[in-house]
Amino acid sequence: MTETAPTLSSCTLSTDNPEPFSDQGETCPVVTNAMPRTGVDPPDTPLDSSMIVGWIGLLGEVRRDASDAERIDQLHALERLKSAAAAAQARITVDLDASVRAAHAAAGIPTDRQGRGVAAQVALARQESAYRGGRHLGLAKVLVGEMPHTLAALAHGHLSEWRATLLARETACLSREHRQLIDTQLCADPAGLVGWGDRRLINEISKIAYRLDPVAVTKRRAKAEADRRVTCRPAPDTMARLTILGPVAQVVAMYAALCRAADTAIATGDGRTRGQLMTDTAIERITGQATAATVPVEVNLIMGSTTLFGADDQPAHLAGYGPIPADLARSLAVSAAEAEAAWLRRLYATLDTGRLIAMDSTRRTFPAGLAKFIEVRDQYCRTPWCDAPIRHIDHAQPHHQDGVTSADNGNGTCAQCNYARQAPGWEIRPEPGPRHTLKVTTPTGHSYRSTAPPPPGHPRSERRGPTSPRSRRTRVTSK
């Protein structure tokens, strides 16, 4: 096969299973109009990235003048294609990890540091955060190395990537042998999973796991209790979610207490809704304040002077959350000032592009002030597609490579991204631009750009985030 534009036949995935599969697993009995097997053989030449990219154009030409039955068949086939793509990504990810680890071993890198940075490269390639890149890498290793039937079901579109994740996650506490028993029992014949929802799948895995190794399941529960935590996440419309992850008995007891408090207030004629009463009660009890509205808060609120004084309604930026409406920003500033809890730190930006160039600091020594400046400028981790909170202020060009400690050479990162960049072959360099711009180059030579978001009240000459990845290497065709 020559590397010309792919034809429909060359892009048809064969349903031939590389591993033994029952006849029941060849079609999905849920879809009554499912297309029969086409019998198209795989291409003679293994697929490379250019051929896969060609499918994107073909998918843009999917028939629109079709019957409803054909549309259902198309939806079903595309869903199976997504699952097959996820299985292919898992295999590719494991191959990448093995190759990088071998190269690190040959270079004499200590064993505990071999493979560092692989998850970050996977994340960039999949346009996701480093955290999700690590999850993709972990799932790929489990599927390829320990759960062959789950991988086969995924490759043939009988199982979604999320369901495969559940199978891997819920068996994580088991030995390799027990995990493989569950893999065989549930996925050797994927027809048995037809119609199952997530909860049923999890419950079935839990029952089998407890029967195989009750001690491991008990230890997992104890570990989960040790990992109890509280997290805060932004929500739409200037709201936020406070999540408490804890032992079921205690969390249910907290919820019941809030319900009782709300019911009591409603019975006495309180006009607030049940949800409002439960939320306000939780805020009051956690903070110890008499009312939810008087809770003292220390936040970094960033807005232009024209917004602060009401000359315009440009959105402000609330650190840890994101853009908020101008009227809410002014209200927060006024409330803080009236409570004598407000203080100002001036940021200096160029008028034409909004590039932050300096900051005065009334509470910090210079190093801490510079770190705060970078944190305010970058807002979130500067790695493309990673919106995690900033935990480290890092040198783009490392200090041991004569990188200077300056705003231009500094960038805010989450801990995971910063550690990933310590692996050999990574390069981060500042580039000229209207606002602070970094070029991130991975060990494979792929480059990604990240531009700092503009401060409130200044023109958005560029969108925050990376450009399309570009490779510095010439493509190697298959022989």
Side-chain angles (χ1 to χ4, degrees):
M1 175 180 289
T2 58
E3 290 188 23
T4 56
T7 63
L8 287 175
S9 61
S10 69
C11 292
T12 303
L13 294 180
S14 170
T15 54
D16 294 334
N17 196 330
E19 299 192 23
F21 236 71
S22 71
D23 292 338
Q24 291 177 309
E26 294 297 335
T27 59
C28 179
V30 169
V31 183
T32 57
N33 292 324
M35 294 182 292
R37 293 181 59 187
T38 62
V40 177
D41 294 327
D44 296 332
T45 303
L47 298 176
D48 61 16
S49 58
S50 63
M51 297 176 68
I52 297 173
V53 169
W55 293 356
I56 299 174
L58 291 176
L59 290 175
E61 302 298 326
V62 171
R63 285 185 57 189
R64 303 289 296 278
D65 57 339
S67 66
D68 287 348
E70 168 62 16
R71 291 187 177 106
I72 292 297
D73 287 341
Q74 290 174 349
L75 291 173
H76 178 59
L78 288 170
E79 194 64 28
R80 293 186 65 187
L81 179 61
K82 289 196 295 183
S83 297
Q89 286 179 315
R91 295 190 182 99
I92 294 167
T93 298
V94 169
D95 291 344
L96 174 65
D97 181 67
S99 175
V100 172
R101 287 180 179 276
H104 285 181
I109 295 176
T111 303
D112 60 345
R113 293 174 54 192
Q114 292 174 12
R116 179 178 288 185
V118 173
Q121 292 190 69
V122 171
L124 288 170
R126 297 187 62 161
Q127 302 184 13
E128 297 195 75
S129 68
Y131 170 76
R132 291 189 64 86
R135 294 186 62 178
H136 289 313
L137 175 58
L139 176 62
K141 288 182 175 181
V142 169
L143 293 180
V144 174
E146 301 182 26
M147 305 186 78
H149 295 294
T150 301
L151 179 62
L154 181 66
H156 291 81
H158 301 300
L159 197 69
S160 69
E161 186 177 23
W162 173 242
R163 298 281 170 79
T165 302
L166 292 179
L167 280 155
R169 186 188 73 185
E170 297 302 316
T171 58
C173 64
L174 301 177
S175 66
R176 182 188 184 96
E177 292 74 20
H178 286 160
R179 173 178 260 170
Q180 289 177 336
L181 283 174
I182 293 179
D183 173 59
T184 301
Q185 184 169 340
L186 293 181
C187 295
D189 180 5
L193 300 177
V194 171
W196 286 25
D198 293 349
R199 179 169 295 182
R200 182 178 177 184
L201 178 61
I202 292 173
N203 289 342
E204 192 64 26
I205 298 171
S206 299
K207 287 190 295 184
I208 300 174
Y210 189 79
R211 186 170 66 247
L212 291 173
D213 193 346
V215 174
V217 174
T218 301
K219 288 182 178 179
R220 175 173 178 166
R221 180 182 61 80
K223 182 180 184 302
E225 291 184 2
D227 290 339
R228 59 190 179 274
R229 57 188 177 274
V230 178
T231 57
C232 182
R233 299 292 183 189
D237 303 319
T238 64
M239 303 291 281
R241 292 185 178 91
L242 181 71
T243 302
I244 300 176
L245 179 66
V248 60
Q250 286 88 338
V251 174
V252 170
M254 287 190 291
Y255 182 78
L258 294 175
C259 289
R260 287 194 300 270
D263 292 341
T264 300
I266 292 173
T268 59
D270 196 305
R272 287 172 290 178
T273 66
R274 197 165 187 267
Q276 291 170 343
L277 284 164
M278 292 176 68
T279 302
D280 293 346
T281 301
I283 294 173
E284 293 160 9
R285 292 184 178 181
I286 291 175
T287 62
Q289 301 298 309
T291 62
T294 60
V295 174
V297 179
E298 181 178 350
V299 296
N300 286 317
L301 180 63
I302 310 165
M303 72 179 85
S305 58
T306 53
T307 300
L308 176 62
F309 297 112
D312 61 39
D313 288 324
Q314 290 287 335
H317 180 85
L318 184 62
Y321 178 84
I324 62 173
D327 59 342
L328 176 60
R330 284 191 288 267
S331 175
L332 291 173
V334 170
S335 298
E338 290 176 347
E340 297 183 350
W343 57 279
L344 297 178
R345 175 183 285 131
R346 292 168 293 179
L347 304 176
Y348 299 94
T350 57
L351 294 178
D352 53 349
T353 65
R355 180 186 179 98
L356 291 177
I357 55 175
M359 176 185 74
D360 67 4
S361 178
T362 60
R363 289 187 169 186
R364 313 287 188 186
T365 61
F366 175 75
L370 178 58
K372 176 58 67 176
F373 170 81
I374 295 172
E375 182 179 349
V376 169
R377 179 196 67 196
D378 293 350
Q379 300 180 14
Y380 304 102
C381 176
R382 284 292 297 278
T383 301
W385 296 291
C386 184
D387 287 329
I390 292 175
R391 293 288 183 260
H392 295 173
I393 304 299
D394 186 35
H395 288 78
Q397 181 175 345
H399 189 267
H400 66 271
Q401 296 179 6
D402 299 325
V404 297
T405 303
S406 66
D408 282 344
N409 194 46
N411 67 120
T413 69
C414 67
Q416 186 167 354
C417 288
N418 188 29
Y419 293 142
R421 295 176 181 183
Q422 307 308 313
W426 286 80
E427 181 180 279
I428 298 90
R429 293 291 184 269
E431 286 197 338
R435 293 194 304 279
H436 188 257
T437 300
L438 295 174
K439 180 180 179 181
V440 181
T441 304
T442 68
T444 58
H446 291 80
S447 296
Y448 306 80
R449 284 176 175 78
S450 172
T451 299
H458 286 273
R460 285 182 170 271
S461 57
E462 296 177 356
R463 294 180 60 188
R464 177 183 182 270
T467 61
S468 300
R470 299 189 304 172
S471 176
R472 296 189 305 179
R473 302 172 64 186
T474 56
R475 183 173 62 88
V476 180
T477 57
S478 301
K479 294 183 180 180

